[in-house]
Amino acid sequence: MDEENSDSISQDLDNDSKMVLVGSGVRIEGRIDGAESTDVSGSLSGTLKSSRISINSSGSFNGDMNGQDVVISGNVEGEITSEDTIIVNQ
C-alpha cells in the first residue's frame, strides 16, 4: 500500500465523535472506556464506561457498566451504575 492510501485509511478510522456502535450479530469482549455514546444491538461482555449507554432490544451485555444516562431494552447481567438515569424498558 502506498503512503497516500495509508494516510487516507488512518483518517477514516478517526472517531472524534467518541461513539461506539455494536451492531446486531457482532460480539465483543473487553473494555470500553471514555465513550460519549455507546449503542449495543449485538453482544458486549466486559467493562463499559460511557456517558450515554443504550442496550437495544436485540442487544445483550454481561459485566459492569457505568454511565450518566442508561437505557436498557435488551438483556443485561451484571452491575449497573448511573450518575443520572436508568430506564428499563420491557
Side-chain angles (χ1 to χ4, degrees):
M1 181 179 321
D2 62 32
E3 189 173 321
E4 182 177 322
N5 287 337
S6 177
D7 289 342
S8 175
I9 290 171
S10 295
Q11 290 170 357
D12 290 344
L13 294 178
D14 287 344
N15 188 3
D16 290 337
S17 66
K18 296 185 179 181
M19 181 177 176
V20 176
L21 174 62
V22 180
S24 181
V26 175
R27 185 173 146 190
I28 296 177
E29 294 182 26
R31 182 174 122 183
I32 296 172
D33 192 355
E36 286 292 321
S37 177
T38 302
D39 188 65
V40 179
S41 293
S43 175
L44 177 59
S45 296
T47 303
L48 172 57
K49 292 182 182 180
S50 178
S51 295
R52 290 178 302 279
I53 299 171
S54 179
I55 309 298
N56 299 318
S57 60
S58 64
S60 66
F61 178 83
N62 187 341
D64 296 328
M65 87 171 58
N66 183 327
Q68 187 170 352
D69 296 307
V70 179
V71 178
I72 299 172
S73 299
N75 185 25
V76 173
E77 293 184 34
E79 186 174 322
I80 303 168
T81 305
S82 173
E83 297 171 18
D84 283 336
T85 59
I86 298 175
I87 298 171
V88 179
N89 298 314
Q90 294 184 0

